[in-house]
Amino acid sequence: GTGQLAVVPASIQAQVTTSVSIVLEATGMVEGVVFNASGAPQPGALVAGGLALVQTDANGFFRLEGVPAGRRRIEGGDPVTRRRGSAEIVVLPGQTVSAAIRLEARATITGRVLDASGAPVPRATAITSTNSRNIKVMLASVRNSRTSSRPMVSAIAIFSS
């Protein structure tokens, strides 16, 4: 079968013929490749966005059938590294649409937070974020319970990836 599903309310009475119109949702197919953060195909990744969860083959290729028509987000992830990615696509009824999913890159940042005089800041918390130009900003803060209940910015680092 197609895997399509429709729900239609109907009243049924004994000895009475009831007519019901069932309209199945238009679907299409999505196929593509999942890439790791370095750009190499990712075998064994899981991909979702249709009626089923599929796994990529040895070349990172996947095929999702029965994907509802319209704007969709196709999600992919590597169950080993737990890295995820997605692709925004428009599924056309009865057609096959291509998607490329690139899994997120991750890194570990290590270091020390120093104050303006160069002394280590104890109990500092570092937070990173990315802006629209893919520039990472790291803020480190520490609470000084004797002088303030609010965190104070102790250090700022800006770098691009």
Side-chain angles (χ1 to χ4, degrees), residues 1 23 43 56 86 107 122 141 156:
V23 178
T56 60
S86 64
S141 65
I156 298 175

Side-chain angles (χ1 to χ4, degrees), residues 23-90:
V23 178
L24 296 175
E25 185 176 32
T27 63
M29 187 164 39
V30 179
E31 61 183 27
V33 178
V34 174
F35 298 97
N36 65 23
S38 301
Q42 183 63 53
L46 299 176
V47 181
L51 297 176
L53 184 66
V54 298
Q55 189 169 29
T56 60
D57 67 12
N59 298 311
F61 179 81
F62 68 90
R63 178 179 289 123
L64 288 168
E65 297 180 0
V67 181
R71 184 170 298 280
R72 298 280 173 242
R73 178 185 299 261
I74 305 301
E75 304 274 347
D78 181 358
V80 176
T81 65
R82 295 188 172 190
R83 294 180 184 197
R84 300 178 306 182
S86 64
E88 296 281 339
I89 58 166
V90 176

Side-chain angles (χ1 to χ4, degrees), residues 111-115 118-122 124-126 138-142 153-156:
R112 300 182 321 163
V113 177
L114 306 175
D115 65 17
V121 178
T125 302
M138 179 186 295
L139 298 176
S141 65
V142 64
V153 173
S154 302
I156 298 175

Side-chain angles (χ1 to χ4, degrees), residues 126-145:
I127 301 169
T128 63
S129 64
T130 304
N131 68 15
S132 61
R133 295 185 315 251
N134 202 28
I135 295 176
K136 304 260 186 207
V137 177
M138 179 186 295
L139 298 176
S141 65
V142 64
R143 265 184 222 277
N144 186 334
S145 59

Side-chain angles (χ1 to χ4, degrees), residues 14-30:
Q15 307 300 323
V16 176
T17 301
T18 304
S19 295
V20 177
S21 295
I22 299 174
V23 178
L24 296 175
E25 185 176 32
T27 63
M29 187 164 39
V30 179

